[in-house]
Amino acid sequence: MTDDLLGRHRSVLPDWLALYYDEPLEITHGEGRHVWDSDGNRYLDFFGGILTTMTAHALPEVTKAVGEQAGRILHSSTLYLNRPMVELAERIVHLSGIPDARVFFTTSGTEANDTALLLATTYRRTNTVLAMRNSYHGRSFSAVGITGNRGWSPTSLSPLQTLYVHGGVRTRGPFASLDDHDFVAACVDDLKDLLGHTRPPAALIAEPIQGVGGFTSPPDGLYAAFREVLHERGVLWIADEVQTGWGRTGEHFWGWQAHGRNGPPDIVTFAKGIGNGMSIGGVIARSEIMNCLDAHSISTFGGTQITMAAGLANLTYLLEHDLQGNARRVGGLLIQRLRAVAAQVPAVREVRGRGLMIGIELTKPGTDEAYPEAVSAVLEAARAGGLLIGKGGGHDTSALRIAPPLTLNVAEAEEGAAILERALRSIP
């Protein structure tokens, strides 16, 4: 059945639509932290549909909310008042830390980042944008135009003038040998030099932890230091929280809070985990920025009743069960366990991350050269052992990405680590 489905997939879908594994699998159902494929194989899920199944598969509170809402009405568009959308927006405004905030709902992180760029460039009256090297912000025309990762940027054409800044990757690049304090200082000096050669841009957009880039991050405080420089010039700070939001990093509810000594960002984008699989994205911004557009707009599918019902139930569950705390505790144990394993595997260059957002970078032993063949081999070996993980990285797909649902327990973390250990030790 899977072979037939693969052939049908290839005959009607684009060649560039990526599939994992030499023999792609069809996931048919899930429960908790596990999923099953069409052949009946059971897997521990350490990737959650690219960080989208944030709490658990088939979480009863979410499925009940979706079912009850489906029995009333699925959708009406933003042309009509929508109680679940207002209720979720109220909760997000409260959690955002942004004063006098407004929320606009979209269907994806890509669309959320598109909207943030529209707001920032309109508010600032310039199409110049600062972005981080090794970054990823989506697959739309404008989002690709600010993506600093060659593997996910299929065109250099863009409606924006993008300038790329150092700092998103701590252990590579010209400042990698510096300590954290000097690293931040060097990146700030580089930013100042860059701004001295161009007109002030609209905004800096940055992921607190780079997702597709391999779960890399700068030292805490880098973006706070950047913001001091940007604020003097009126430049906005957009935090792309599509992968880091809602407590996944454990230490903070939002990734930007590791860099927040000067207050929250001007704009925050979110998506993925808030819907626990339902298509929700969005933008949070100060009212003066959100309201700067001088034309009418609507969203046909953003904020539809059924997705908002899912988001409300999911967010309530996350907060009532302290899943941020669970991510900190269980994620901390998992990182320690993986670092102990990595010390015995020459191909592992670094284990990094926070909470339940962990990257394992692989390089050819004794070098800093990317080892994408090993990444693919570990991905396959983990699957054979009953574990699903992801991959990424800005250096020829050099990293494994580990991001389980936030309800992961200690026994499951140990089980996944043991499978990963066997897979890593199989690297030739």
Side-chain angles (χ1 to χ4, degrees):
M1 182 182 296
T2 302
D3 288 343
D4 178 55
L5 185 60
L6 177 59
R8 291 161 59 193
H9 174 102
R10 287 174 171 164
S11 69
V12 294
L13 298 174
D15 291 345
W16 41 260
L17 195 61
L19 287 168
Y20 272 179
Y21 307 113
D22 293 337
E23 296 181 6
L25 62 84
E26 176 193 7
I27 294 175
T28 57
H29 62 287
E31 182 178 347
R33 277 71 58 195
H34 292 87
V35 294
W36 285 258
D37 69 16
S38 54
D39 294 322
N41 299 307
R42 177 177 179 264
Y43 302 94
L44 183 58
D45 185 4
F46 268 28
F47 203 38
I50 320 178
L51 292 81
T52 299
T53 305
M54 179 171 67
T55 47
H57 291 279
L59 185 72
E61 288 81 354
V62 173
T63 56
K64 179 183 178 183
V66 168
E68 290 177 350
Q69 182 61 55
R72 294 190 292 270
I73 188 170
L74 298 175
H75 164 74
S76 66
S77 91
T78 57
L79 288 170
Y80 306 93
L81 286 173
N82 178 332
R83 189 174 299 273
M85 181 169 67
V86 171
E87 291 175 351
L88 184 56
E90 287 172 339
R91 299 198 71 179
I92 291 173
V93 162
H94 174 71
L95 292 165
S96 73
I98 298 175
D100 193 24
R102 300 290 186 273
V103 180
F104 177 75
F105 289 104
T106 68
T107 61
S108 68
T110 292
E111 190 187 350
N113 285 330
D114 251 0
T115 302
L117 293 169
L118 171 64
L119 292 171
T121 55
T122 302
Y123 184 77
R124 293 277 297 144
R125 309 303 301 170
T126 173
N127 73 334
T128 301
V129 174
L130 301 176
M132 304 304 295
R133 299 180 186 187
N134 195 51
S135 60
Y136 175 82
H137 298 287
R139 53 153 196 83
S140 68
F141 190 42
S142 63
V144 164
I146 57 167
T147 287
N149 185 317
R150 172 63 186 87
W152 293 91
S153 183
T155 177
S156 61
L157 303 174
S158 175
L160 302 167
Q161 179 183 0
T162 307
L163 305 173
Y164 292 101
V165 181
H166 283 296
V169 183
R170 176 66 184 89
T171 60
R172 287 187 180 271
F175 308 139
S177 62
L178 302 177
D179 64 26
D180 283 357
H181 178 271
D182 289 343
F183 180 94
V184 170
C187 291
V188 169
D189 286 344
D190 178 72
L191 174 63
K192 290 178 179 178
D193 181 70
L194 176 65
L195 292 172
H197 296 283
T198 184
R199 295 181 182 276
L204 165 72
I205 184 167
E207 306 156 273
I209 298 177
Q210 295 182 330
V212 170
F215 293 170
T216 62
S217 62
D220 287 357
L222 175 72
Y223 295 123
F226 277 3
R227 194 180 192 205
E228 291 179 5
V229 175
L230 299 173
H231 186 70
E232 293 175 357
R233 296 160 174 81
V235 180
L236 304 179
W237 173 24
I238 304 170
D240 179 342
E241 296 274 358
V242 169
Q243 297 195 33
T244 48
W246 319 110
R248 176 164 288 281
T249 67
E251 295 177 36
H252 304 100
F253 191 77
W254 302 104
W256 68 259
Q257 289 171 320
H259 308 272
R261 67 172 182 255
N262 299 317
D266 301 288
I267 302 174
V268 169
T269 62
F270 62 86
K272 290 194 182 289
I274 182 60
N276 203 44
M278 298 295 280
S279 298
I280 303 176
V283 183
I284 318 164
R286 298 198 319 270
S287 61
E288 65 180 296
I289 298 172
M290 185 68 80
N291 294 332
C292 74
L293 305 182
D294 62 0
H296 298 300
S297 190
I298 63 166
S299 180
T300 302
F301 288 109
T304 192
Q305 283 91 335
I306 195 164
T307 60
M308 297 294 96
L312 275 166
N314 195 44
L315 182 57
T316 297
Y317 186 91
L318 180 142
L319 294 172
E320 290 183 350
H321 292 80
D322 187 24
L323 296 193
Q324 177 185 339
N326 191 64
R328 182 179 63 253
R329 293 185 295 271
V330 179
L333 292 171
L334 183 55
I335 289 174
Q336 288 180 5
R337 175 82 161 80
L338 293 174
R339 283 178 173 158
V341 171
Q344 307 299 318
V345 179
V348 176
R349 181 177 185 268
E350 182 182 21
V351 177
R352 57 187 175 237
R354 273 191 160 134
L356 287 172
M357 192 173 186
I358 304 168
I360 303 176
E361 184 176 352
L362 304 182
T363 54
K364 294 180 180 178
T367 76
D368 273 344
E369 187 178 347
Y371 202 177
E373 300 87 358
V375 170
S376 295
V378 172
L379 203 74
E380 295 282 355
R383 175 194 172 177
L387 179 72
L388 303 184
I389 57 176
K391 60 182 178 178
H395 295 82
D396 296 323
T397 312
S398 57
L400 304 166
R401 297 167 68 198
I402 299 160
L406 302 189
T407 51
L408 186 77
N409 60 45
V410 172
E412 291 164 340
E414 286 289 346
E415 178 188 352
I419 297 170
L420 268 172
E421 178 175 5
R422 292 191 293 271
L424 287 166
R425 290 186 183 279
S426 72
I427 298 173

